[in-house]
Amino acid sequence: MNYNDDQSGNGKNDLSRRDFVATGIKAGFAAAVYPLSAFTLTTDTIGLVAGDVSIESFDRKIPAYWAMPVGKGPFPSVIVVHEIFGVHEHIKDLCRRFAKKGFLAIAPYLYSRQGEVVSLKDIPEIIKVVSKVERAQVTKDLDATMTYIEKSGKADMKRVSITGFCWGGATTWLYAANHPKIKAGAAWYGPLQAKTEGAESPLSIAATLKVPVLGLYGGQDANIPQDQVHEMETSLKKGSSGSKIIVYPDSPHGFNADYRESYRKKDADAAWSEMLSWFKKHHAS
């Protein structure tokens, strides 16, 4: 499978309007992120199959978005874990970017029981929803996502990775530590310390982590102090996962979020390339 060249073809979204409505994922960007940056990127679906799907989880169906190249597959696959804003247009676009590189990418909506956040305009209101999401629920939903792509027949289950952004970055570290089929991870500026004392956190699992995770962090991130990043690096070195962290000194939190003022194109492009190389290396191992 080629990780670097765009796939060609005339792929069409084969999901019906009824299926689209049933999934519960709203179109467009989250209301809280407006106004959008002039750098906002949009990836087309030419050569792709892309759209909303529904995943049977432990107690209900949860909505998700996926994208993959036209063709039989199986494709190297990546689970994309969303930011606090849910599966809005940016996360969908990231799935399409992966698909253009030959991946099956899928982004499950992990707050479906707590509520829909895409329509909320105030970040504090979104955080109220996010704070109610239990880690056990997230793990079960991600397990269900793994089962879904395996049953689809489109995913190469020997080449499955996970990536996530902000809230999803922390989730990436934790899920990589707990699922045997994950081959690699890439955590974008994910919080490293738990807010609740004694709760599992990336820092608490770093030394025992077995899956190689690439941490991508900004040196100017006001939300994640550099001393925590250094502590994470030290803890990772105590283990045998082969994980590493790259810090982009001049970038803030959210430097890959092209729809926001925090976007730093040079570092975002460099980090994206690092991630693809990381996945390619560990999918082959």
Side-chain angles (χ1 to χ4, degrees):
M1 176 55 60
N2 191 330
Y3 287 75
N4 299 305
D5 296 331
D6 286 0
Q7 306 294 312
S8 60
N10 294 302
K12 295 182 179 179
N13 183 347
D14 59 359
L15 298 169
S16 69
R17 175 63 181 169
R18 180 179 178 183
D19 289 335
F20 176 83
V21 172
T23 61
I25 292 180
K26 290 182 176 290
F29 286 87
V33 307
Y34 285 90
L36 300 180
S37 162
F39 297 103
T40 303
L41 302 175
T42 301
T43 304
D44 63 55
T45 58
I46 296 172
L48 307 181
V49 174
D52 293 24
V53 294
S54 185
I55 296 171
E56 189 71 54
S57 193
F58 66 97
D59 65 342
R60 70 186 65 201
K61 289 184 177 181
I62 63 169
Y65 181 90
W66 74 350
M68 72 191 84
V70 170
K72 293 182 179 180
F75 306 108
S77 301
V78 58
I79 295 176
V80 180
V81 187
H82 56 74
E83 321 148 291
I84 63 168
F85 305 114
V87 184
H88 68 136
E89 188 55 42
H90 175 64
I91 299 300
K92 296 176 188 178
D93 201 79
L94 294 178
C95 288
R96 295 193 294 272
R97 293 178 211 177
F98 273 116
K100 291 281 187 176
K101 298 298 183 182
F103 288 82
L104 181 161
I106 186 165
Y109 180 55
L110 299 171
Y111 312 156
S112 60
R113 296 162 191 80
Q114 285 70 36
E116 181 270 305
V117 298
V118 174
S119 299
L120 299 179
K121 295 181 179 180
D122 298 321
I123 290 179
E125 290 301 312
I126 294 175
I127 292 174
K128 286 182 183 179
V129 175
V130 178
S131 66
K132 297 175 184 177
V133 181
E134 296 182 354
R135 182 58 55 187
Q137 171 190 306
V138 172
T139 299
K140 290 178 181 179
D141 284 348
L142 291 174
D143 287 347
T145 303
M146 292 285 283
T147 299
Y148 182 86
I149 63 173
E150 183 170 17
K151 288 183 176 180
S152 75
K154 295 290 188 179
D156 182 347
M157 298 306 292
K158 294 181 179 179
R159 296 186 291 169
V160 181
S161 294
I162 185 169
T163 190
F165 303 80
C166 189
W167 180 87
T171 300
T172 294
W173 286 109
L174 297 176
Y175 193 69
N178 289 291
H179 200 289
K181 289 187 178 180
I182 294 292
K183 297 287 285 186
W188 295 74
Y189 32 85
L192 297 170
Q193 209 169 50
K195 291 185 177 180
T196 303
E197 186 175 351
E200 188 179 55
S201 70
L203 277 167
S204 73
I205 57 88
T208 56
L209 183 66
K210 302 300 182 186
V211 173
V213 176
L214 176 66
L216 301 164
Y217 287 81
Q220 302 303 312
D221 192 331
N223 299 319
I224 305 172
Q226 282 298 293
D227 60 349
Q228 287 185 22
V229 176
H230 297 324
E231 184 181 353
M232 186 70 177
E233 290 177 311
T234 299
S235 295
L236 288 171
K237 289 176 182 177
K238 294 177 181 178
S240 59
S241 67
S243 299
K244 73 173 185 178
I245 291 177
I246 299 175
V247 175
Y248 297 89
D250 299 324
S251 279
H253 190 79
F255 65 86
N256 189 63
D258 52 82
Y259 63 96
R260 305 181 75 183
E261 291 185 359
S262 60
Y263 181 54
R264 300 294 184 269
K265 176 176 170 50
K266 182 180 177 181
D267 287 348
D269 289 348
W272 190 265
S273 294
E274 291 279 1
M275 175 184 64
L276 293 179
S277 296
W278 186 260
F279 288 170
K280 182 177 181 179
K281 173 184 176 181
H282 293 290
H283 282 177
S285 61

